[in-house]
Amino acid sequence: MAEVLVPSAELERRTIRRSAWVAENAAFIDCRTPGSDRKANYAFIGPGVSQNAKQFINLSEPHGYNVGAAGMPNGVNNNLHLHFTAEVFINFGGTFRVRWGVDGLQGEYVSHDGDIISVPAWIFRGFTNEGPDEGLLLTVLGQDVTGGIIWGPSVLKEAESYGLHLTADNRLIDTVAGDELPSDVPLIKPMKQAFIDELTPFSVEEMRGRVTQAGDRRYSSRASLGHALPGGGGELALVIGYGMSEDRRQVPRLHEPHSFNMAWLRAIPGEGLLRHRHSATQTLLVKSGRWQVTLNTGEAEESVVLEPQDMLSVPAGSWRRFELLEAGPDAAVDGTGELLVVNAGDGRVRLEWAPEVVEAAFDAGWMLDPNGYLAPVAVMVTATEDD
């Protein structure tokens, strides 16, 4: 793998601070619908499914997935709509009632802080903030091009009464603001009932299986080659896909393809993941604690400290290491900080460890087997004795 150096200016560009978030309050066709008119939409990586050409995007280059967020005051709804690719909600604080089905009556789930919810593609979904005004749902959407969304029939009809229309190429037309209806592109019409009837139903029990609550996480203390070395004691809990884990016994809660994999990394201060690299694009999202991420090697090293709700896009092929500096007042009960790690791709992410990590791990009795999983040196290397 060719070494990718990340200069300081590029590291800064790829660091998305909470203070750099830019909200779009008219991202969707329901932006004037009472009860849905105070939504704030954020597009951090990729445009997501925003229907407003004025949407601010922090990083526009393709990652294989999109990252965004929905900020909604208490009582505000995100109306029923359908996605063609994966949509995963990460509850970063608050209480949200998620509902699904074309009428929103097929089932409900009340989400709390720390939940990750993978909503199936090709079903209608919506949600309401039932907690504090500062409640926040981060979203990761599958693929670079998501195909937009289909709104529930009642949503489109109500929006039309407020002068809002949606074109077939996913443009929001606001006749109240002076936009003219296009003559060359048709307007989106409500989905026909015959197609709605063909959508897959999901029970409450089935949807609960797609939710990873804090109590559902299964952390492995042997998820990386450097687990027994100073600074390498971070633990991984797989959520979607097998991702970066080198523990052959570790199984994710969700296996189905999303176009990305997702896992929680937790550590106590001074621990994390030692220097490694891989060929997938990667996004780090800080849930709790202060994390230092160091890229490159030797004199070219560049570091950034990430606070809660900060995120970083790490270029594929670059050397990186993660260390929790401080758990902070928002730390989990066990004194750890939490980092959400998202990598592109549906398969495993095979890590290349820095030579010093490989050597130190070998001396500590650990190496990787041909499948890239952790194994004892004593088993993998034939012992010899001097006669």
Side-chain angles (χ1 to χ4, degrees), residues 229-300:
L229 305 177
E235 300 180 338
L236 281 175
L238 302 180
V239 179
I240 297 170
Y242 285 86
M244 304 189 305
S245 179
E246 294 174 335
D247 181 346
R248 65 181 180 276
R249 297 184 180 92
Q250 199 167 18
V251 177
R253 188 162 173 83
L254 286 176
H255 301 76
E256 72 181 58
H258 281 62
S259 88
F260 57 87
N261 54 80
M262 183 180 292
W264 288 106
L265 172 66
R266 73 178 182 187
I268 60 174
E271 300 295 334
L273 288 182
L274 296 174
R275 197 187 316 274
H276 64 282
R277 63 179 178 175
H278 57 75
S279 59
T281 57
Q282 182 179 73
T283 302
L284 309 175
L285 304 97
V286 177
K287 181 67 171 67
S288 61
R290 297 176 67 245
W291 291 80
Q292 179 170 282
V293 180
T294 302
L295 304 186
N296 308 327
T297 59
E299 295 182 356

Side-chain angles (χ1 to χ4, degrees), residues 3 70 97 218-219 264 302 306 333 372:
E3 184 171 359
R97 184 176 296 273
R218 299 293 180 264
Y219 283 95
W264 288 106
E302 298 286 349
L306 303 176
V333 292

Side-chain angles (χ1 to χ4, degrees), residues 37 42 105 112 158 162 164 219-221 260 269 295 322 331 337 343 362 382 384 386:
D37 53 350
Y42 301 91
L105 300 177
H112 299 284
E158 187 167 12
Y162 292 100
L164 293 169
Y219 283 95
S220 170
S221 60
F260 57 87
L295 304 186
F322 316 143
N343 298 302
F362 189 92
T382 303
T384 61
D386 292 330

